[in-house]
């Protein structure tokens, strides 16, 4: 027996986890080396009732069983640091949560011991990009207004739906930045 439904997205009991995995699967379908993508998370039933034409565009009908629907937002401006961009976002009340998917290079904790001292941000980025133990990862992080969080991590070298890691505390800094977009 498999943990994959017909569409290939892993099954999950929690609606937020399902939304994160749906976004991860969507992003995986676009391939690697993609820009960061921002999503609003909306209540599916409210979307159907209040915005039927948008729901129809998104393929949502009475048979849709998910309770959160990700709606991709406009492209994140190139050249603007992600933290600065997130600081400019304010969500309308109809948005239940938000999610971001972004690709980064990661090093294992053991690499900290070999990090040269005194590097600026550009030098550090170059050092990480050239490090033999670097791994490319796609992170999808979601937060809800009520504080719940979920993340999915997909390594490029293990680019398979069955290898996606999930957890609420995998990318705490990014989750905090997304949560801040809901603060008044």
């Amino acid at each position: 027996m498999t943990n994959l439904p017909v569409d290939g997205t892993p099954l999950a009991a929690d609606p937020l986890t399902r939304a994160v995995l749906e976004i991860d699967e969507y992003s995986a379908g676009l391939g690697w080396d993609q820009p960061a993508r921002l999503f609003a998370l909306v209540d599916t039933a409210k979307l159907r009732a209040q915005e039927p034409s948008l729901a129809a565009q998104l393929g949502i009908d009475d048979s849709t069983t998910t309770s959160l629907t990700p709606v991709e937002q406009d492209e994140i401006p190139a050249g603007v640091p992600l933290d600065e961009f997130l600081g400019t976002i304010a969500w309308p009340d109809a948005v239940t949560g938000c999610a971001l998917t972004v690709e980064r290079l990661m090093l294992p904790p053991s690499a900290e011991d070999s990090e040269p001292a005194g590097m600026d941000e550009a030098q550090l980025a170059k050092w990480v990009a050239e490090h033999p133990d670097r791994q490319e990862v796609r992170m999808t992080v979601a937060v809800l207004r009520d504080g719940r969080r979920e993340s999915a991590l997909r390594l490029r070298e293990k680019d398979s739906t069955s290898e996606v890691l999930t957890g609420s505390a995998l990318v705490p800094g990014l989750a905090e930045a997304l949560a801040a977009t809901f603060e008044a």
Side-chain angles (χ1 to χ4, degrees):
M1 176 140 205
T2 180
N3 190 29
L4 301 176
V6 176
D7 70 356
T9 305
L11 298 173
D14 182 73
L16 185 57
T17 303
R18 280 196 307 270
V20 165
L21 290 170
E22 181 181 338
I23 293 167
D24 171 75
E25 191 68 22
Y26 166 77
S27 298
L30 299 172
W32 285 88
D33 304 319
Q34 296 291 315
R37 295 178 189 282
L38 181 66
F39 299 82
L41 298 176
V42 297
D43 180 281
T44 303
K46 288 181 183 175
L47 178 64
R48 270 195 317 260
Q50 296 171 357
E51 298 286 341
S53 62
L54 177 57
Q57 268 185 315
L58 296 172
I60 298 168
D61 57 26
D62 291 336
S63 67
T64 303
T65 59
T66 60
S67 59
L68 290 172
T69 297
V71 179
E72 188 171 4
Q73 303 300 291
D74 291 336
E75 190 172 304
I76 296 173
V80 177
L82 193 55
D83 57 340
E84 287 179 26
F85 171 72
L86 291 176
T88 67
I89 295 174
W91 297 103
D93 291 340
V95 174
T96 304
C98 66
L100 181 80
T101 183
V102 63
E103 296 176 14
R104 292 291 185 257
L105 293 177
M106 286 182 28
L107 294 177
S110 61
E112 287 181 26
D113 297 337
S114 63
E115 180 182 329
M119 290 189 293
D120 64 22
E121 196 170 316
Q123 291 169 321
L124 180 61
K126 184 176 190 249
W127 179 75
V128 169
E130 294 173 349
H131 196 284
D133 295 330
R134 73 186 178 282
Q135 291 192 357
E136 292 179 72
V137 63
R138 181 181 302 116
M139 302 176 285
T140 302
V141 180
V143 299
L144 298 180
R145 283 185 187 273
D146 68 10
R148 287 183 288 156
R149 300 162 181 210
E150 188 60 74
S151 304
L153 296 179
R154 181 185 290 253
L155 296 174
R156 190 171 193 157
E157 72 177 27
K158 295 183 178 183
D159 193 4
S160 165
T161 300
S162 64
E163 296 287 337
V164 174
L165 304 172
T166 59
S168 60
L170 295 177
V171 192
L174 188 50
E176 285 296 322
L178 289 173
T181 66
F182 290 103
E183 295 174 3

